[in-house]
Each structure stands twice: as C-alpha cells, then as structure tokens.
Amino acid sequence: MICRILLLISLTSCVSGTFEVKVTQTSYQAEENHNITLEWMFTTKPDSSSTSLNIYCEMFIDHNDPVLYHVHEGDEVPESQDEQFAGRIQSDKDALREGRIRLHVSRLRTDDSGLYTCDVKTDYGVSSDRCLLNVTAAVDQPEPQKPTERPQPESQGRIGLYVGLTAAGLAVCAGLCLAFRLCLTKYSDKTGLSFRSRSYSANSSKNEQTTMTMVL
Ligand SMILES: *[C@@H]1O[C@H](CO)[C@@H](O)[C@H](O)[C@H]1NC(C)=O
Ligand SMILES: *[C@@H]1O[C@H](CO)[C@@H](O)[C@H](O)[C@H]1NC(C)=O
C-alpha cells in the first residue's frame, strides 16, 4: 500500500514537471486557396525568460523539410522560412506568450499537404508534436451550377414529351373510340332496320290474320 502511494506521488510529480507540446488538432482538412490556422500548445513557466524559447516548425518530408516558422531565443527568424511559405504564414505573438503557437497559413496549395511538426525547446524542457494537413484541389466555381441548371429544362422537356405523347395517345384512342362507335351505330341501325322490317312484316301478317278472322 505504501509502495503504491509512493509510486503515485512520484508519478504525479513526474507528470506535473514534464514539459509538453501538444497539437490542438491532429489533422486538418482544407481546400486549395483557403486559409487555415495550425495550433500547438506548450507548457509555460511564469518565471522563465522569453529568451529561453526556441521553436522550429517544419513540414515533414522525406528529404528536405521546408521550415515554416522559426523562433530563436524568443525572436522570430523569418530568414529561416522556406520560400514555399514565403508571405503565407502569420504567427500570433500574443498567443505565443500564453504557450500557444498559432500559425495562420493563407492561400493553401495542394503541395502544402503533409505532416507538420513543431519542436519547442525551453530552459525547462524539450518536446514536439505533429499534425496532418490535407489540402484538396479546389472545385471550379461555375461547374456545380451547371449540373443543377441543366437537368431542369431537360426534365421539363421530358415532361413535355410525356404530356405530348399521352395527349397523342388519348387522341388516337378517342378517334378509335369514335370510329368504333360510328361503326357500331351503323351496324345497330342496319340491324334495327331489319328488326323493324321484321316487325313490320309480323304486323302485316297479324293484320292479314285479323282481316282473315274478320273475313271468317
Ligand atoms: C485568407 O487570409 C488572408 C490574409 O491572410 C485574407 O486576406 C483572406 O481574406 C483570407 N481568406 C479567407 C477565405 O478566409
Ligand atoms: C484527403 O482528403 C480527401 C478528400 O476528403 C480524401 O479522399 C483523402 O483520402 C485525404 N487524404 C489523406 C492523406 O487523408
């Protein structure tokens, strides 16, 4: 039990005494030509001199690692910056005093994509952390409007075509119906006539019969 307590005390004292650099975000997603702010936080010590602060932020590539931000003994060293980032990095000096490295990267390029690391060295510790930036190619602005505009007249045309076809179909149907009706009435007229003639003859025969009975 005593051992455990001692271990806990030694661990907490160890942790509280550590100098640490941590990213606020492990990965960033952005589009070409947009801006982004990469941020790292580091442990500050009130009684430490600002001249003890050294920061080295670079992009992590296999061969040459382009530098985007360099602070030497409390002062920014713009000459260290790689031409890839020239005029595109803005640092926040007020945030730096509070233990935050805030790098505003403007006009993002697709080749800015990669791993970014910041090494911080003070008289009370050394540490670093990294984050991933993914810059995707910009989508052309007029393009997304075209597909939304185009299908409308197309679908309208289609609807028009369907309406026209349906109307034509209905007209043909109506015509057929009319023709059929005409045929039917003509046929029934003929049959009607024959019926009438038949009834006529029946009548005449009846009359003949009556006349015959009258005669009888
Ligand atoms: C990007 O940052 C620059 C200055 O660094 C600013 O002029 C521009 O308006 C920003 N663009 C966007 C899309 O936020
Ligand atoms: C970058 O973003 C694109 C689009 O979201 C995605 O397809 C791609 O996998 C991402 N790349 C990395 C390395 O995360």
Side-chain angles (χ1 to χ4, degrees):
M1 189 67 185
I2 293 161
C3 257
R4 269 192 198 171
I5 289 164
L6 279 174
L7 190 71
L8 208 73
I9 290 165
S10 61
L11 267 175
T12 44
S13 63
C14 233
V15 168
S16 60
T18 342
F19 174 75
E20 201 179 34
V21 174
K22 272 257 161 263
V23 286
T24 54
Q25 214 174 309
T26 52
S27 78
Y28 296 84
Q29 184 82 44
E31 201 176 281
E32 199 178 7
N33 297 321
H34 284 207
N35 301 340
I36 206 161
T37 304
L38 307 175
E39 191 178 48
W40 284 261
M41 295 182 83
F42 61 92
T43 321
T44 52
K45 212 173 163 193
D47 57 345
S48 174
S49 158
S50 68
T51 55
S52 78
L53 184 65
N54 294 279
I55 302 167
Y56 211 76
C57 296
E58 59 191 3
M59 196 179 165
F60 208 74
I61 300 176
D62 292 341
H63 307 294
N64 68 319
D65 298 337
V67 174
L68 69 153
Y69 186 61
H70 183 200
V71 170
H72 179 72
E73 294 179 348
D75 289 319
E76 285 186 6
V77 189
E79 304 86 68
S80 301
Q81 195 175 63
D82 191 274
E83 59 179 27
Q84 181 185 337
F85 302 108
R88 296 200 293 133
I89 309 288
Q90 273 179 292
S91 63
D92 188 337
K93 287 185 188 75
D94 294 329
L96 199 64
R97 265 176 242 121
E98 299 160 8
R100 288 185 295 138
I101 305 164
R102 282 174 62 84
L103 302 178
H104 183 79
V105 190
S106 51
R107 300 189 304 280
L108 282 168
R109 292 153 39 166
T110 48
D111 62 359
D112 289 335
S113 296
L115 207 57
Y116 287 80
T117 177
C118 271
D119 296 291
V120 184
K121 186 173 158 275
T122 62
D123 54 3
Y124 53 96
V126 178
S127 182
S128 75
D129 201 8
R130 53 187 61 175
C131 62
L132 199 69
L133 173 63
N134 186 0
V135 183
T136 50
V139 187
D140 285 339
Q141 291 292 55
E143 258 192 313
Q145 286 181 332
K146 279 177 190 169
T148 50
E149 267 178 22
R150 268 183 191 167
Q152 273 186 326
E154 214 172 289
S155 62
Q156 272 175 0
R158 261 188 212 165
I159 289 163
L161 191 70
Y162 290 148
V163 167
L165 279 173
T166 317
L170 280 172
V172 166
C173 257
L176 279 171
C177 278
L178 204 71
F180 184 69
R181 255 194 175 177
L182 275 169
C183 283
L184 204 74
T185 43
K186 265 183 192 168
Y187 177 75
S188 62
D189 277 354
K190 269 184 195 168
T191 47
L193 269 171
S194 60
F195 277 135
R196 252 176 246 159
S197 57
R198 236 186 247 169
S199 61
Y200 219 81
S201 58
N203 275 355
S204 57
S205 62
K206 243 189 188 172
N207 283 348
E208 270 171 44
Q209 270 183 347
T210 46
T211 48
M212 269 170 79
T213 48
M214 289 253 304
V215 168
L216 279 167

